[in-house]
């Protein structure tokens, strides 16, 4: 199909909800592998061609958990925070070659994984911790898709390196 012009890294994995000291180390690390190493490997696969062509866009789907405490989800929050840092570091490295890189908070999309988490003891505690914010963050997946299409179009290239949310007014930024 030709060279890759846009890469959207939409990896998301979490292990069983557990406090850090109760977490299974292998499950914890598996989450980091999926959420951080997976995007890293995909980026490495497409980046050489983007650099050569001096064009391309990479969109990493992160999470609000990247910037807030997420009790019972240390593996998820840590890996998504690292993905944001990978995003701005890659932007600093690849900007001169015309490659644009973004991280996106997609909102809380109701999925089976999020329902399972909220049904757990730790998840119920976290929901109490999050309070009304939890409802306000719920969003249909189309909203994230629309932001990704906007970023892929080049209309927001000036925001490369940023961690954007579906709740941001990108035109205003």
């Amino acid at each position: 199909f030709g060279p890759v012009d846009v890469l959207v890294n939409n990896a998301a994995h979490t292990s069983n909800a557990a406090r850090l000291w109760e977490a299974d180390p292998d499950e914890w690390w598996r989450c980091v592998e999926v959420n951080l190493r997976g995007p890293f490997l995909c980026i490495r696969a497409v980046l050489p061609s983007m650099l050569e062509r001096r064009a391309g866009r990479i969109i990493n789907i992160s999470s609000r958990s990247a910037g807030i405490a997420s009790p019972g989800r240390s593996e998820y929050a840590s890996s998504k925070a690292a993905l944001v840092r990978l995003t701005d570091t890659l932007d600093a490295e690849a900007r001169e070659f015309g490659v644009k890189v973004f991280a996106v908070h997609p909102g809380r999309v109701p999925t089976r994984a999020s329902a399972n988490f909220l049904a757990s003891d730790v998840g119920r505690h976290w929901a109490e911790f999050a309070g009304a914010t939890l409802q306000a963050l719920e969003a249909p997946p189309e909203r994230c898709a629309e932001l990704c299409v906007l970023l892929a179009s080049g209309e927001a290239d000036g925001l490369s390196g940023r961690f954007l949310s579906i709740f941001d007014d990108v035109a205003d930024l």
Side-chain angles (χ1 to χ4, degrees):
F1 295 114
V4 174
D5 295 312
V6 178
L7 169 66
V8 179
N9 279 312
N10 191 27
H13 178 71
T14 189
S15 60
N16 294 328
R19 294 180 180 99
L20 181 71
W21 62 90
E22 299 167 332
D24 176 279
D26 292 330
E27 285 185 29
W28 198 97
W29 192 247
R30 175 73 179 134
C31 182
V32 174
E33 286 182 323
V34 171
N35 294 346
L36 182 62
R37 188 169 191 257
F40 164 77
L41 292 173
C42 290
I43 290 167
R44 290 228 352 148
V46 303
L47 192 57
S49 173
M50 290 178 171
L51 296 173
E52 184 179 306
R53 290 179 290 117
R54 301 187 73 80
R57 290 178 184 79
I58 298 170
I59 303 166
N60 294 316
I61 306 300
S62 184
S63 169
R64 180 172 184 262
S65 293
I68 63 166
S70 294
R73 301 178 79 191
S74 64
E75 80 293 349
Y76 184 78
S78 297
S79 62
K80 291 300 188 173
L83 186 60
V84 171
R85 188 58 57 224
L86 177 71
T87 298
D88 62 19
T89 300
L90 178 57
D91 175 71
E93 293 175 345
R95 182 176 287 217
E96 70 180 278
F97 298 97
V99 177
K100 308 302 182 196
V101 191
F102 308 90
V104 170
H105 159 43
R108 193 179 79 78
V109 179
T111 64
R112 184 175 34 178
S114 62
N116 290 343
F117 171 71
L118 291 172
S120 71
D121 289 340
V122 173
R124 283 191 294 277
H125 174 72
W126 180 83
E128 290 173 20
F129 172 76
T133 305
L134 191 62
Q135 293 290 338
L137 293 175
E138 195 159 303
E142 293 82 8
R143 197 156 174 189
C144 183
E146 290 166 2
L147 177 56
C148 289
V149 168
L150 175 73
L151 297 175
S153 75
E155 290 182 41
D157 280 356
L159 299 175
S160 184
R162 300 268 308 261
F163 179 32
L164 303 167
S165 167
I166 61 162
F167 302 107
D168 290 335
D169 182 347
V170 174
D172 198 37
L173 294 173

